[in-house]
């Protein structure tokens, strides 16, 4: 892509600013604050996802300043630039949510575009909300220049009647209100108290899951995943990242040196142990694709057979990320996993050291804590992320089974062609014990955009049906979802997957013991139904959603848009 210059630390910026003929470029940069001395320094792009769109990102402008300070104090020249963010929590359950997964690709494309154009020698990328993190990581993988990812940090919990709250509490309160378990006044109180300030959603939802995965991958400094958004620790994390990227430049360490197959296996292991979001499957597949690492759904199954789930964290558990921070974050867990031979300790990290070297002096969790269970007495002896196959999911589907829901569910289908239809049926009381809610045409192409089904799943929990009904979809789930749920069903309904011909009353079995998702209809009847099936006409013929639908791959491949073979 580029023809680097000869200065090891200025491979790219030297092409932009060195020599008589680059005087016009230097003139432009003088105007944005460059001095003559700055032209001889490595240029480090600070990719900031700051926005007042969402509390997850409202503080990141300050963190970007901290990272820039770290770069400048280490004799680099920092240049801050922005990319977009959207809010899943705000758009959830609306048409706007179709842009959520799309934003991951826009973020990746925009960071690649700015860094590639401006000739930055290294990058610090700071992300807050769910899609920022994999979006940043995809860009860093494509560019393969010395880089560090910094997590913007978790939010502190809200509180109502001595009970800690987060955004999922509000979604579930809607279901409770529909079931007359609370009144309008209490719903309003929960709504007002749930989000007390800046930071990403507080459980082991997608943001905290991906931050933890990226730290385990080796692309963040130790403890970056386990710091409150508004804290001195997070400010220092940003400063250190700014300085550390200069060290990576000197040593010639780039993302693809760090993001190996073994490193991705470490990330998967930590996600499983923490009980992380199903979105991690989609995003890690996409990140691996950008890095050129061969990662498949079956790798999650292979690793999951040997890794226990030990974290009692929301949404299925009791505790928040802020409380995990208080006992040491994920580093003590990683040390335990390493000592048990469940992590690859020889993987390189952004510290310039191996994972094992980073963990050498990490102390264990304090005695008496009940948040992280012992590895030999886990919450679940193997992975909660269960990859299913079968006649409903020939290319795979992803279930989140913590064991609290049971391991097998058989019920009768109630079929909906959009999320909104299903939500209304749940709130109206049309869903009863033994139902399997089927939501289709919500896949990457069919939605388009693969919306998260947090509104329906939260309504199910709020209605008190969490153990009595199941929900399956070719869409996604929020990290805040819990219950008997299966998503990422591939092939998706829009492209002719069997989900397209499921009918009301069909019997469906979800079996997390045999890893099968089965429609109990014989193949001749399925073929007969397909003879009558026609692919729906897309409502989107122009614009970003139309482009996305045309380019996007299957969810089983990470729903990426740059696999153009």
């Amino acid at each position: 892509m580029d023809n680097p210059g000869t200065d090891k630390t200025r491979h790219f910026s030297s092409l932009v600013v060195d020599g008589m003929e680059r005087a016009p470029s230097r003139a432009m940069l003088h105007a944005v604050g460059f001095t003559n001395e700055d032209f001889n320094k490595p240029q480090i792009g600070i990719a900031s996802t700051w926005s007042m769109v969402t509390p997850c990102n409202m503080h990141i402008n300050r963190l970007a300043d901290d990272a820039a300070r770290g770069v400048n104090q280490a004799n680099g020249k920092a240049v801050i630039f922005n990319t977009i963010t959207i809010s899943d929590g705000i758009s959830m359950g609306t048409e706007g949510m179709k842009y959520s997964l799309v934003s991951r690709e826009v973020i990746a494309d925009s960071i690649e575009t700015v860094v590639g154009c401006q000739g930055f020698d290294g990058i610090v990328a700071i992300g807050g909300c769910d899609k920022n993190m994999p979006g940043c990581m995809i860009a860093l993988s494509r560019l393969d220049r010395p880089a560090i990812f910094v997590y913007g940090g978790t939010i502190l919990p809200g509180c109502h009647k001595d009970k800690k709250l987060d955004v999922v509490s509000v979604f579930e309160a809607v279901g409770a209100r529909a079931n007359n378990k609370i009144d309008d006044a209490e719903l309003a109180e929960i709504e007002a108290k749930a989000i007390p300030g800046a930071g990403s959603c507080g459980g082991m939802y997608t943001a905290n899951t991906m931050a933890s995965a990226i730290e385990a991958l080796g692309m963040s400094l130790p403890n970056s995943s386990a710091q409150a958004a508004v804290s001195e620790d997070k400010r220092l994390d940003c400063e250190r990242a700014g300085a550390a990227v200069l060290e990576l430049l000197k040593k010639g360490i780039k993302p693809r040196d760090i993001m190996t197959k073994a490193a991705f296996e470490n990330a998967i292991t930590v996600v499983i142990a923490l009980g992380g979001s199903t979105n991690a499957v989609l995003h890690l597949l996409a990140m691996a694709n950008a890095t050129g690492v061969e990662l498949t759904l079956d790798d999650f199954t292979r690793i999951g057979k040997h890794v226990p789930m030990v974290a009692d964290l929301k949404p299925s558990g009791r505790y928040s990320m802020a409380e995990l921070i208080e006992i040491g974050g994920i580093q003590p867990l990683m040390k335990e996993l390493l000592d048990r031979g469940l992590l690859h300790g020889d993987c390189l990290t952004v510290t310039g050291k191996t994972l094992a070297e980073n963990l050498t002096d990490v102390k264990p969790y304090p005695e008496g804590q009940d948040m992280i269970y012992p590895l030999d007495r886990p919450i679940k002896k193997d992975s909660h992320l269960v990859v299913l196959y079968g006649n409903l999911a020939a290319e795979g589907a992803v279930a989140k089974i913590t064991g609290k829901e049971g391991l097998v569910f058989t019920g009768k289908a109630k079929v909906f062609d959009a999320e909104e239809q299903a939500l209304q049926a749940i709130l109206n009381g049309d869903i009863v014990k033994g139902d399997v809610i089927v939501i289709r045409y919500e896949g990457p192409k069919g939605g388009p955009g693969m919306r998260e089904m947090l509104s329906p799943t939260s309504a199910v929990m709020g209605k008190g049906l969490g153990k009595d009904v199941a929900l399956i979809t070719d869409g996604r789930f929020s990290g805040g979802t819990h219950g008997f749920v299966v998503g990422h069903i591939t092939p998706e309904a829009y492209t002719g997957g069997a989900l397209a011909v499921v009918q009301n009353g069909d019997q469906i079995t979800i079996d997390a013991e045999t890893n099968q998702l089965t429609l109990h209809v014989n193949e001749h009847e399925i073929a007969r139904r397909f003879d009558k099936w026609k692919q729906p006409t897309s409502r989107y013929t122009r614009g970003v959603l139309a482009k996305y639908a045309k380019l996007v791959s299957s969810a089983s491949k990470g729903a990426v848009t740059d696999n153009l073979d």
Side-chain angles (χ1 to χ4, degrees), residues 195-227:
I195 314 291
S200 298
C201 299
M204 191 47 65
Y205 309 146
T206 302
N208 284 317
T209 297
M210 290 310 302
S212 301
I214 293 166
E215 182 177 327
L217 190 66
M219 283 299 295
S220 291
L221 293 177
N223 267 331
S224 185
S225 70
Q227 295 159 342

Side-chain angles (χ1 to χ4, degrees), residues 22-235:
R22 302 313 303 166
S25 302
R26 295 193 296 273
M28 297 281 284
L29 291 169
H30 277 301
V32 297
F34 273 61
T35 65
N36 286 333
E37 292 76 20
D38 289 334
F39 295 123
N40 296 316
K41 298 175 181 176
Q43 290 185 32
I44 307 299
I46 311 291
S48 167
T49 56
W50 171 81
S51 172
M52 290 304 289
V53 163
T54 169
C56 306
N57 296 64
M58 62 189 281
H59 62 303
I60 287 179
N61 56 336
R62 297 191 294 277
L63 298 184
D65 289 338
D66 295 329
R69 187 180 308 111
V71 168
N72 294 335
Q73 289 174 349
N75 205 35
K77 175 58 180 174
V79 181
I80 299 173
F81 66 96
N82 269 92
T83 184
I84 67 159
T85 189
I86 57 87
S87 173
D88 292 353
I90 295 170
S91 64
M92 195 73 69
T94 73
E95 195 78 358
M97 186 61 188
K98 292 182 177 180
Y99 290 89
S100 169
L101 190 56
V102 177
S103 77
R104 185 189 75 181
E105 307 304 298
V106 176
I107 291 164
D109 291 350
S110 65
I111 293 174
E112 180 191 354
T113 299
V114 174
V115 173
C117 177
Q118 298 300 123
F120 296 142
D121 301 299
I123 314 133
V124 177
I126 309 172
C129 202
D130 298 7
K131 307 311 170 298
N132 301 168
M133 283 166 269
C136 288
M137 293 302 300
I138 290 168
L140 301 187
S141 301
R142 291 179 189 167
L143 290 158
D144 200 32
R145 303 179 191 190
I148 291 179
F149 176 79
V150 178
Y151 178 40
T154 191
I155 197 170
L156 298 175
C159 187
H160 174 66
K161 293 183 176 179
D162 296 324
K163 182 180 179 182
K164 292 179 178 178
L165 302 176
D166 58 25
V167 68
V168 177
S169 309
V170 189
F171 280 96
E172 293 186 358
V174 171
R177 176 66 192 92
N179 209 27
N180 292 316
K181 292 181 178 178
I182 62 173
D183 59 19
D184 288 338
E186 186 162 6
L187 176 59
E189 280 193 62
I190 293 170
E191 171 191 326
K193 296 174 179 176
I195 314 291
S200 298
C201 299
M204 191 47 65
Y205 309 146
T206 302
N208 284 317
T209 297
M210 290 310 302
S212 301
I214 293 166
E215 182 177 327
L217 190 66
M219 283 299 295
S220 291
L221 293 177
N223 267 331
S224 185
S225 70
Q227 295 159 342
V230 182
S231 67
E232 180 66 4
D233 285 341
K234 183 49 64 183
R235 188 189 71 75

Side-chain angles (χ1 to χ4, degrees), residues 407-561:
L407 296 173
V408 180
F409 190 101
T410 297
K412 291 184 177 180
K414 285 201 175 163
V415 183
F416 304 93
D417 288 347
E419 177 189 3
E420 292 87 347
Q421 296 172 14
L423 176 61
Q424 204 54 56
I426 296 163
L427 294 177
N428 289 347
D430 297 335
I431 301 300
V432 297
K433 182 176 181 178
D435 283 343
V436 178
I437 303 164
V438 177
I439 306 178
R440 62 191 178 195
Y441 300 118
E442 291 285 4
K445 288 184 177 291
M450 208 179 178
R451 288 191 289 183
E452 293 179 349
M453 303 292 132
L454 182 57
S455 292
T457 58
S458 296
V460 165
M461 300 306 291
K463 281 275 194 177
L465 292 169
K467 295 182 178 180
D468 298 325
V469 303
L471 189 151
I472 70 171
T473 180
D474 50 9
R476 295 181 295 132
F477 294 113
S478 162
T481 289
H482 55 123
F484 219 117
V485 297
V486 181
H488 307 203
I489 293 175
T490 55
E492 61 176 287
Y494 184 79
T495 62
L499 201 66
V501 294
V502 177
Q503 295 180 357
N504 286 327
D506 286 347
Q507 193 173 67
I508 292 172
T509 294
I510 305 160
D511 192 329
E513 294 178 317
T514 62
N515 293 358
Q516 292 288 303
L517 179 61
T518 305
L519 174 65
H520 294 286
V521 174
N522 67 59
E523 59 186 57
H524 299 294
E525 172 60 16
I526 290 173
R528 188 190 67 79
R529 292 180 187 181
F530 267 119
D531 286 341
K532 298 181 179 180
W533 178 78
K534 291 182 180 178
Q535 185 181 65
T537 302
S538 176
R539 294 169 47 205
Y540 301 94
T541 57
R542 301 292 295 271
V544 68
L545 291 179
K547 285 195 290 184
Y548 181 83
K550 187 175 180 65
L551 292 172
V552 71
S553 72
S554 166
S556 63
K557 305 291 185 184
V560 298
T561 57

Side-chain angles (χ1 to χ4, degrees), residues 198-493:
S200 298
C201 299
M204 191 47 65
Y205 309 146
T206 302
N208 284 317
T209 297
M210 290 310 302
S212 301
I214 293 166
E215 182 177 327
L217 190 66
M219 283 299 295
S220 291
L221 293 177
N223 267 331
S224 185
S225 70
Q227 295 159 342
V230 182
S231 67
E232 180 66 4
D233 285 341
K234 183 49 64 183
R235 188 189 71 75
L236 291 173
D237 184 39
C238 292
E239 279 195 7
R240 291 178 188 129
V245 80
L246 271 299
E247 291 301 311
L248 293 174
L249 266 174
K250 292 173 188 173
K251 294 173 180 174
I253 297 173
K254 296 180 287 187
R256 294 190 185 190
D257 299 321
I258 295 170
M259 298 170 66
T260 62
K261 178 68 176 280
F264 275 101
E265 291 181 347
N266 286 345
I268 293 169
T269 296
V270 169
V271 167
I272 291 168
L274 290 169
S277 167
T278 53
N279 280 316
V281 178
L282 194 75
H283 296 325
L284 289 171
L285 288 171
M287 288 158 53
N289 175 75
T291 311
V293 167
E294 189 96 10
L295 194 70
T296 70
L297 286 174
D298 293 338
D299 288 312
F300 288 82
T301 299
R302 173 177 56 82
I303 295 165
K305 290 177 181 176
H306 308 290
V307 179
M309 175 187 152
V310 294
D312 193 15
L313 297 169
K314 293 183 176 183
S316 60
R318 296 172 291 166
Y319 292 104
S320 69
M321 191 67 177
E323 291 166 303
L324 182 61
I325 290 169
E326 292 174 5
I327 66 166
I330 71 168
Q331 290 274 299
L333 172 60
M334 289 174 64
K335 181 71 160 59
E336 289 183 42
L337 292 166
L338 178 68
D339 291 345
R340 290 292 186 93
L342 295 173
L343 291 178
H344 303 286
D346 58 348
C347 287
L348 186 63
T349 74
V350 290
T351 64
K353 300 176 181 179
T354 65
L355 183 72
E357 289 171 328
N358 289 345
L359 295 171
T360 298
D361 297 324
V362 171
K363 293 180 172 59
Y365 288 118
E367 289 288 334
Q369 65 82 25
D370 60 352
M371 204 175 307
I372 304 296
Y373 284 45
L375 292 178
D376 55 2
R377 287 188 286 110
I379 295 170
K380 189 172 187 285
K381 65 179 178 62
D382 51 13
S383 181
H384 66 298
L385 297 175
V386 180
V387 177
L388 306 174
Y389 291 96
N391 66 349
L392 261 183
E395 294 176 11
V398 181
K400 186 176 184 179
I401 308 292
T402 66
K404 297 177 181 179
E405 311 84 357
L407 296 173
V408 180
F409 190 101
T410 297
K412 291 184 177 180
K414 285 201 175 163
V415 183
F416 304 93
D417 288 347
E419 177 189 3
E420 292 87 347
Q421 296 172 14
L423 176 61
Q424 204 54 56
I426 296 163
L427 294 177
N428 289 347
D430 297 335
I431 301 300
V432 297
K433 182 176 181 178
D435 283 343
V436 178
I437 303 164
V438 177
I439 306 178
R440 62 191 178 195
Y441 300 118
E442 291 285 4
K445 288 184 177 291
M450 208 179 178
R451 288 191 289 183
E452 293 179 349
M453 303 292 132
L454 182 57
S455 292
T457 58
S458 296
V460 165
M461 300 306 291
K463 281 275 194 177
L465 292 169
K467 295 182 178 180
D468 298 325
V469 303
L471 189 151
I472 70 171
T473 180
D474 50 9
R476 295 181 295 132
F477 294 113
S478 162
T481 289
H482 55 123
F484 219 117
V485 297
V486 181
H488 307 203
I489 293 175
T490 55
E492 61 176 287

